[in-house]
Amino acid sequence: MTRFHSVAKWVSLRLIRKHRILAVLVIASLALGIAQRVGIGLMLDSIQNALVHQSKSFLLADIEIRSVDPISPEKLAELKTILPQNSKLQTSVECLSIAVSSSNYKSTLVSLKAVDQGFPFYGQLKLKSGQVYPNATAAISHLQRYPEAWIDPTLKITLGLKEGDIIYLGKIGFLVKGYIAAEPGEGIQGFSFGPRVYVGTSFLQASGLVSEGSRVSHLILIKLPESKNPLQIAQKIRTAWGLSEKSYQWRTPFANAAGGSDIQVTTHMEKAKQWIRLFGDVGQFFSVLSLLMLILSCLAVGTMLRGYSERILPEIGVTHLLGATRAQVAQTLVLILSYFIGLGTVLGLILGCSGFALIQWQFQAYLPTSWLGWWMAKPIVLGAIESLVFAFGFGSLPLILTMTWKPLELANGISDRRVSKRIIMALSGAIIVLIGSFFYIDTLNLKLAFGASVVLALAIGLCIGLAKVCTALSTRFSQQWSFEFQYGFNNLYRFRHHFVWAITSLSIGILCLSMVGIFKSSLLAELQQDRNQVFPDLFLVGIFDHQKDDLTHYFYQWTSKLQLSPVIKARMTHINARRVGNVTTNDEQKNYLLNREQNLSFREQTGEGEKLIAGDWMKGWYQVEASLEEWFAKKLDINLGDTLTFDVQGVTLKAKVTSFRTVKWTTFKPNFFILLSPNALKEAPKEWLGTVSGLSTEELPKIQAQLAEQFPSVTTIPVKESVDKIKRTLNLVFHAVEVLSYLAVISAIATLVSVVMLTLSFRQKDVHTLKILGFSYKAVQQAIAIEFAAIVTLSCVIGGGIGTSVSIWLLLSETNLELHIPIGTLWWVFIGFMSLALAMSFGVARYLYHSKPKL
Amino acid sequence: MKLLEVKDVTKNYPGTEILSHIELSLAPGESLAILGRSGSGKTTLLNLLAGLDTPDSGEIYFDQKPIHTLKESELAQLRGKHMGFVFQSYRLLEALTALENVCLPLELLEKDHAIQTASDLLAKLGLESKINQFPHRLSGGEQQRVAIARAIVHQPKLIIADEPTGNLDHRTGREVSDLLIESCKKFNIALLVATHDTELANKVEKRVELFDGVLKSV
């Protein structure tokens, strides 16, 4: 045994060396799959780890108290008695505002943060003035005495600002002292609406940005002594102030009158959980996708190893004929497999970690990230285990099958293709997927993983079935065609057991690309302005009754009409007889929708982008009626005829649901989940939501600047800027998915190359014969080109067809998006693959034809 | 008139003289067997005669054309039109059926009714039921008969056969050699066959033997 072990070792190494190009392809394909799995795992865990361990820096405190109105002096005094000794307090105010440059009157939406002395408690704030990094603590203290601002460097370009310029925020001009080089919780800030501007809290009142009911958040940041538990202290505050633990912001100037409260007390641990939930959905999507890519690349490895095992059969078989037992032959095969998978895994882990470092470095400004640490062990080990399960599973199947052959079959390289063995292979493959997914199911969502596995299995099954049918059909019809077509198509059939997997891999890569393409273009088209869809120029949020006329008059000067929609704050208390206040279900989104502050509105008829899909529009003669948005109603299990009870700022209001509407949210027109009968809400205290259209690009900055000065409490949101930001974010996500799809395609191309390598000796024989028979290089080239072109065409038809059908089905059944197929992009994908295939075919033809034939 | 004429041809591989001053001629319709042990240079000589290799010295004429001076494309044309080949290992294209394999030379010459001609020929050779089979489904004898059909279907002037019975059992070998010789006679095709098989060699009109690169009459 020991002696044979050493023989097996050198035989296996010799065999790898003999077929080294194939070995490189197998290892590269495996490494790619592992690299993306580990890289994505590391990235997701890095974010999660950062959210948990840097939550103080992200929240900027141990406990944050957030409210619409400033905390009253009585409550503040009570708070001080609750807090342990040596606790520190800071106040801060956050709001969106229009910033205007005094030098050129350019304006933009900014995320304003008014801060107190000693800011921040946690994390690091770095400020830069010229080439100098001033003491941030001193600079922040200075803000309390002088109207100065530290701004995000992007404002240098957007507003053309430089140090010493004046930036207007509301009614006050602030001197730009310098730029923010780094701020605490930078990754989280990436999700804010506009670039950050820091000013002192002492100048806020005079700016006019803060008045009763304006859309600002008042914050009290608390730093506790190390030994104190923030959760216990937060609970004490909530109990003292009569707040519920799970508070869904009840933000209204009338909240107190309604008996509710707009105060939220959050510890850094609770906030971390919220952020993790937020990232969780996106993370889960990427995790499922990376798992699929890993399975695909391991399938490619299995395909290559199958071909590889057939190629080395005669050599292995000779040892068998010479008297080596099956176990000893198996030892040689296992050694080969281990070398491949070992090398592939190590290379994949290195690549994955390097890729992660690169992505982290690129995106650290947009995402919360962690650096080196023990947290990295979990994704690396988990990724490696999953990869080993899949790679060993798929890789060993063909080798195990080889072991069932008779010695002479082995020596002659005659493969056994009995149906029973194919069924065993397919079942074994399914078991491997289940075992590999078990690790995943254990760590993530069972339903999603199961669904993804079923979809993958169906997609692969469909691809294999269609590929087989197409290759079989191709030979049927080729007999009437010229030699080039006959030879090309018959080769496709002849090597069908190899090509089916190449076509399947390529199809799935193309399937992913086509789905990404269709979803991306449909979503982006939805956010595109054209003749049919014109977005409003401005959104004005938080307009009070007394500002309505002034604002209408203001826009009248610009020959534009201000469209106003009423917004009435309310809380849903009952659906029929069922109480919904503080309801907790397993569906976090449902909890939020049930318990959050609802924005009610009313209108005489359906608005732009709205369509009545069930029931009748409100008549409201003798009862209060409600029209609900379809998704909202479905999510909360509300049916036509149900009665909803609202607490409208202290007044109880019952409404019968009489219609459902679909709403096209991407029109950026004022739209609401709940509309009630106009008569019922006319007298309710309300604020207004305004939209303005038809302003020219030259007028817009000037108007924004004037609004910021004359109506500082009204939040003005330039729609185009916001849409552009959404588009940028969407593009970023789609790019990430595209990269994963390209990895699948690379893996598929590696499979295709390996198939070509495996069939090269047969082709060589053919081409020599053709050459001897007098066939020209051109004929051989054309025949091989037809074969390769057929593979790409089949893959594009299968992958593109399935991808397009699934996308159409998903878009039509699950979203309100209009279908937009990017035919140009899909063509380019096809042309790209076709060019690659033709280039490959020319290379192969050249290599084969120019080697000298012998009789 | 001579179909094939070899004048003072010599071929060396580094350090070894494979063929030495070979003189050979073949008339149209004539058959010649080249005998010799393994490594005697038979296959090298056939490679030179088929234009697949070039001599170091000497001249080779086919139908009065100097093969040794022709370009690659001209040689391909010459082989396609005037020569047929039968190999020891059959060399059928695995991707094509028996019928498609036989059609190949006709396709190359753009002949009309290729399928009909090829299937008629296969039927004459007793392979009617096998025409749509792929080579791996055929026995060795059947494959070699398909190869002979492919070699004669376009009625070339010369068939070069390299150990045509080498991979066959005695009985099948005899059937195949009879078929090859009869077909050549029937269509007036010259036959040049390299073989170990003395039974086959005795059936052809002329025999020569290659011994250490030198050609001798037998």
Side-chain angles (χ1 to χ4, degrees):
Chain A
M1 184 70 189
T2 319
R3 219 163 146 179
F4 188 84
H5 180 72
S6 70
V7 172
K9 215 155 74 178
W10 71 254
V11 166
S12 53
L13 282 172
R14 255 331 138 71
L15 286 171
I16 291 174
R17 201 179 69 176
K18 187 176 168 194
H19 306 291
R20 54 190 172 277
I21 297 177
L22 263 175
V24 168
L25 285 170
V26 173
I27 292 166
S29 188
L30 182 61
L32 267 179
I34 296 174
Q36 62 84 22
R37 179 69 176 150
V38 170
I40 286 175
L42 279 169
M43 197 65 217
L44 296 177
D45 277 28
S46 160
I47 293 171
Q48 193 159 328
N49 182 64
L51 290 174
V52 172
H53 292 103
Q54 300 169 37
S55 56
K56 286 184 185 179
S57 304
F58 294 136
L59 193 70
L60 306 166
D62 290 306
I63 299 173
E64 177 201 81
I65 300 173
R66 185 178 279 262
S67 60
V68 174
D69 295 316
I71 299 292
S72 65
E74 297 79 37
K75 276 207 161 78
L76 210 54
E78 195 181 358
L79 177 67
K80 282 178 183 166
T81 60
I82 297 166
L83 294 178
Q85 265 192 343
N86 299 327
S87 298
K88 288 179 184 169
L89 260 76
Q90 264 177 13
T91 57
S92 174
V93 175
E94 287 176 354
C95 66
L96 288 177
S97 173
I98 290 290
V100 184
S101 162
S102 67
S103 55
N104 52 22
Y105 288 98
K106 280 186 179 175
S107 61
T108 191
L109 189 71
V110 293
S111 179
L112 183 69
K113 195 168 182 92
V115 291
D116 212 348
Q117 283 188 15
F119 176 87
F121 281 146
Y122 296 105
Q124 204 183 9
L125 177 68
K126 273 190 193 169
L127 303 170
K128 192 178 176 190
S129 183
Q131 295 301 313
V132 187
Y133 287 87
N135 179 333
T137 315
I140 293 292
S141 296
H142 212 253
L143 292 181
Q144 302 305 318
R145 297 192 295 279
Y146 302 97
E148 293 171 349
W150 292 89
I151 62 169
D152 189 285
T154 57
L155 289 172
K156 276 199 265 188
I157 301 156
T158 326
L159 296 183
L161 284 172
K162 55 186 189 300
E163 288 154 51
D165 281 351
I166 301 292
I167 180 174
Y168 276 97
L169 297 158
K171 291 176 177 170
I172 292 191
F174 291 84
L175 179 75
V176 176
K177 282 295 281 182
Y179 309 105
I180 304 160
E183 55 178 332
E186 202 160 43
I188 295 288
Q189 313 302 348
F191 293 92
S192 64
F193 251 94
R196 172 77 77 214
V197 173
Y198 281 110
V199 296
T201 44
S202 52
F203 292 94
L204 213 56
Q205 203 61 45
S207 71
L209 292 169
V210 183
S211 62
E212 195 185 340
S214 54
R215 213 156 253 274
V216 297
S217 291
H218 291 269
L219 284 91
I220 294 178
L221 304 171
I222 300 166
K223 185 184 182 185
L224 297 173
E226 286 285 328
S227 58
K228 298 295 173 190
N229 183 348
L231 287 169
Q232 284 173 357
I233 308 287
Q235 195 50 46
K236 277 185 189 171
I237 300 169
R238 288 187 196 115
T239 313
W241 290 357
L243 306 171
S244 70
E245 189 176 347
K246 206 160 218 168
S247 165
Y248 293 95
Q249 198 180 357
W250 177 239
R251 81 149 299 282
T252 161
F254 314 104
N256 293 335
S261 173
D262 68 323
I263 302 171
Q264 285 179 302
V265 180
T266 318
T267 65
H268 68 91
M269 293 96 118
E270 290 161 340
K271 201 71 185 172
K273 276 186 192 165
Q274 284 176 24
W275 282 322
I276 287 168
R277 264 202 303 272
L278 180 78
F279 277 106
D281 290 340
V282 182
Q284 220 165 39
F285 169 72
F286 276 99
S287 203
V288 170
L289 208 61
S290 77
L291 183 78
L292 295 187
M293 296 305 147
L294 176 67
I295 294 175
L296 270 183
S297 77
C298 289
L299 274 175
V301 168
T303 310
M304 291 182 203
L305 281 173
R306 180 180 174 167
Y308 193 87
S309 69
E310 284 182 14
R311 189 86 180 260
I312 60 173
L313 273 186
E315 285 101 326
I316 296 278
V318 168
T319 60
H320 204 15
L321 277 178
L322 291 174
T325 63
R326 276 188 193 277
Q328 287 166 329
V329 171
Q331 204 181 343
T332 315
L333 293 173
V334 167
L335 271 173
I336 292 173
L337 191 63
S338 306
Y339 289 138
F340 283 155
I341 293 176
L343 272 171
T345 307
V346 171
L347 194 64
L349 291 178
I350 294 170
L351 277 174
C353 292
S354 317
F356 157 69
L358 197 72
I359 298 169
Q360 175 131 313
W361 175 62
Q362 280 284 312
F363 289 96
Q364 58 183 336
Y366 307 100
L367 292 168
T369 46
S370 321
W371 284 105
L372 295 179
W374 281 109
W375 64 269
M376 293 176 78
K378 189 189 138 204
I380 291 177
V381 171
L382 195 68
I385 292 173
E386 282 174 341
S387 313
L388 289 175
V389 170
F390 287 128
F392 261 110
F394 291 130
S396 58
L397 275 182
L399 301 185
I400 291 168
L401 205 67
T402 305
M403 295 307 302
T404 64
W405 295 351
K406 294 186 183 85
L408 264 174
E409 284 176 342
L410 275 173
N412 292 327
I414 302 162
S415 57
D416 183 347
R417 302 195 194 282
R418 268 177 292 177
V419 177
S420 59
K421 289 193 177 167
R422 283 186 217 170
I423 293 170
I424 292 170
M425 287 272 277
L427 284 175
S428 312
I431 292 167
I432 292 160
V433 172
L434 278 176
I435 295 172
S437 303
F438 178 78
F439 290 97
Y440 177 75
I441 291 165
D442 194 38
T443 52
L444 279 168
N445 186 307
L446 178 75
K447 205 169 132 191
L448 201 65
F450 180 73
S453 305
V454 170
V455 169
L456 180 75
L458 284 176
I460 290 175
L462 204 58
C463 285
I464 293 173
L466 285 174
K468 282 205 166 186
V469 169
C470 290
T471 48
L473 281 179
S474 64
T475 54
R476 295 269 159 159
F477 295 108
S478 67
Q479 288 200 353
Q480 292 95 37
W481 299 342
S482 68
F483 158 76
E484 288 83 358
F485 276 96
Q486 273 181 30
Y487 183 76
F489 281 122
N490 285 345
N491 252 351
L492 208 59
Y493 185 69
R494 175 186 174 193
F495 301 123
R496 63 191 177 282
H497 301 289
H498 297 300
F499 277 137
V500 155
W501 282 109
I503 291 172
T504 304
S505 306
L506 207 54
S507 297
I508 291 179
I510 292 168
L511 184 149
C512 294
L513 279 178
S514 59
M515 280 185 74
V516 173
I518 291 171
F519 270 91
K520 185 178 170 182
S521 78
S522 297
L523 258 168
L524 293 182
E526 200 75 10
L527 297 174
Q528 197 68 44
Q529 292 205 68
D530 55 29
R531 269 177 297 175
N532 302 322
Q533 177 163 312
V534 180
F535 298 147
D537 295 308
L538 288 176
F539 235 98
L540 283 84
V541 184
I543 302 168
F544 291 113
D545 275 332
H546 67 269
Q547 293 171 315
K548 253 172 67 186
D549 294 339
D550 291 345
L551 271 166
T552 308
H553 182 69
Y554 172 81
F555 282 107
Y556 187 70
Q557 291 171 41
W558 294 95
T559 61
S560 290
K561 198 178 169 198
L562 174 68
Q563 304 270 3
L564 289 165
S565 298
V567 182
I568 296 103
K569 304 287 174 189
R571 192 186 283 274
M572 200 193 299
T573 58
H574 291 79
I575 298 173
N576 297 325
R578 186 163 53 95
R579 186 169 171 77
V580 295
N582 294 325
V583 159
T584 309
T585 67
N586 288 332
D587 188 341
E588 182 61 25
Q589 198 175 30
K590 189 172 173 181
N591 290 342
Y592 174 72
L593 288 174
L594 280 171
N595 295 297
R596 74 166 209 165
E597 171 194 68
Q598 306 287 353
N599 291 323
L600 307 181
S601 189
F602 57 85
R603 51 175 66 135
E604 297 295 337
Q605 58 200 23
T606 49
E608 204 178 323
E610 282 184 325
K611 207 168 119 191
L612 214 60
I613 54 157
D616 299 313
W617 186 249
M618 298 168 280
K619 298 180 188 75
W621 295 321
Y622 57 93
Q623 64 174 358
V624 180
E625 289 169 278
S627 177
L628 301 190
E629 195 265 347
E630 183 204 14
W631 175 84
F632 178 81
K634 211 184 271 178
K635 191 83 196 167
L636 301 187
D637 307 318
I638 298 172
N639 299 309
L640 283 179
D642 284 352
T643 302
L644 308 179
T645 309
F646 296 97
D647 170 358
V648 186
Q649 296 151 42
V651 178
T652 303
L653 188 73
K654 288 189 181 220
K656 188 179 176 187
V657 180
T658 54
S659 64
F660 291 147
R661 294 164 290 127
T662 53
V663 173
K664 196 175 176 189
W665 296 99
T666 50
T667 54
F668 290 93
K669 301 284 180 337
N671 281 310
F672 301 89
F673 283 137
I674 308 167
L675 292 174
L676 293 189
S677 304
N679 291 340
L681 292 171
K682 260 185 183 155
E683 301 307 318
K686 59 181 82 65
E687 58 182 52
W688 299 82
L689 189 65
T691 53
V692 186
S693 301
L695 299 173
S696 69
T697 26
E698 292 79 35
E699 288 168 350
L700 205 57
K702 208 180 271 182
I703 290 171
Q704 280 178 251
Q706 288 179 358
L707 284 173
E709 193 191 347
Q710 292 176 32
F711 304 95
S713 67
V714 174
T715 309
T716 313
I717 299 170
V719 174
K720 195 178 167 300
E721 253 180 58
S722 308
V723 171
D724 285 346
K725 188 170 167 95
I726 294 168
K727 275 189 193 169
R728 275 199 300 274
T729 314
L730 277 176
N731 265 324
L732 212 65
V733 175
F734 278 119
H735 277 317
V737 182
E738 272 168 348
V739 167
L740 285 178
S741 308
Y742 280 116
L743 283 179
V745 168
I746 291 172
S747 180
I749 291 169
T751 314
L752 190 62
V753 172
S754 75
V755 169
V756 173
M757 301 287 306
L758 290 165
T759 54
L760 212 56
S761 60
F762 303 103
R763 290 169 188 280
Q764 183 82 77
K765 225 165 92 181
D766 283 359
V767 170
H768 281 174
T769 308
L770 289 171
K771 199 173 172 183
I772 290 165
L773 293 175
F775 275 80
S776 65
Y777 170 61
K778 202 176 154 195
V780 172
Q781 194 189 53
Q782 279 174 359
I784 297 176
I786 285 167
E787 182 186 338
F788 280 50
I791 291 170
V792 170
T793 310
L794 278 176
S795 306
C796 285
V797 169
I798 295 170
I802 298 175
T804 309
S805 315
V806 172
S807 305
I808 292 172
W809 174 66
L810 282 175
L811 279 172
L812 297 182
S813 65
E814 298 295 315
T815 72
N816 285 329
L817 295 177
E818 263 177 46
L819 179 69
H820 197 271
I821 298 177
I823 292 169
T825 314
L826 294 181
W827 262 114
W828 276 116
V829 168
F830 176 72
I831 289 168
F833 283 123
M834 190 55 90
S835 312
L836 192 74
L838 291 179
M840 255 170 87
S841 74
F842 293 155
V844 171
R846 201 177 167 75
Y847 170 78
L848 294 175
Y849 198 85
H850 290 295
S851 61
K852 219 165 197 177
K854 300 270 184 223
L855 283 179
Chain B
M1 193 183 138
K2 287 166 186 168
L3 176 70
L4 183 71
E5 194 171 12
V6 180
K7 290 182 180 173
D8 196 22
V9 163
T10 299
K11 179 75 183 172
N12 300 313
Y13 284 139
T16 324
E17 192 180 54
I18 306 293
L19 298 172
S20 175
H21 307 287
I22 302 289
E23 298 277 345
L24 184 74
S25 66
L26 197 68
E30 196 178 18
S31 57
L32 170 76
I34 304 172
L35 295 154
R37 286 187 303 180
S38 296
S40 59
K42 296 193 297 289
T43 305
T44 306
L45 180 59
L46 293 191
N47 279 332
L48 293 176
L49 300 181
L52 296 170
D53 207 348
T54 45
D56 293 334
S57 65
E59 292 163 345
I60 304 169
Y61 292 90
F62 180 86
D63 221 5
Q64 296 175 333
K65 281 186 196 138
I67 287 181
H68 56 283
T69 61
L70 294 181
K71 284 191 278 184
E72 173 95 28
S73 56
E74 291 167 333
L75 281 167
Q77 246 181 357
L78 180 86
R79 283 195 299 267
K81 201 168 177 184
H82 300 300
M83 291 184 188
F85 294 87
V86 179
F87 309 95
Q88 181 177 355
S89 53
Y90 328 128
R91 290 252 181 142
L92 296 176
L93 296 192
E94 292 289 329
L96 304 186
T97 61
L99 178 66
E100 288 164 349
N101 263 290
V102 179
C103 280
L104 270 182
L106 300 173
E107 293 275 358
L108 194 65
L109 297 171
E110 296 174 3
K111 297 266 188 195
D112 294 333
H113 316 298
I115 292 177
Q116 193 55 49
T117 312
S119 50
D120 287 350
L121 182 59
L122 281 168
K124 277 180 198 161
L125 298 182
L127 293 165
E128 199 169 9
S129 60
K130 309 281 182 183
I131 57 173
N132 286 322
Q133 298 280 6
F134 283 95
H136 66 270
R137 299 264 178 217
L138 303 175
S139 69
E142 287 168 339
Q143 287 194 52
Q144 197 60 302
R145 275 191 279 165
V146 174
I148 291 170
R150 185 177 69 183
I152 62 174
V153 72
H154 57 304
Q155 299 182 2
K157 289 181 176 169
L158 171 68
I159 285 180
I160 295 177
D162 186 13
E163 300 283 8
T165 57
N167 274 4
L168 304 172
D169 61 70
H170 185 252
R171 192 177 145 194
T172 316
R174 201 168 53 204
E175 283 170 13
V176 164
S177 58
D178 286 348
L179 179 71
L180 181 64
I181 292 163
E182 277 168 26
S183 303
C184 285
K185 275 185 185 158
K186 189 173 171 187
F187 296 109
N188 195 32
I189 302 168
L191 172 68
L192 196 63
V193 56
T195 184
H196 288 107
D197 185 351
T198 44
E199 195 179 329
L200 167 63
N202 288 333
K203 288 177 190 168
V204 301
E205 294 160 0
K206 285 163 61 180
R207 281 164 295 281
V208 289
E209 187 177 5
L210 250 180
F211 187 78
D212 288 343
V214 180
L215 203 63
K216 293 175 183 168
S217 294
V218 179

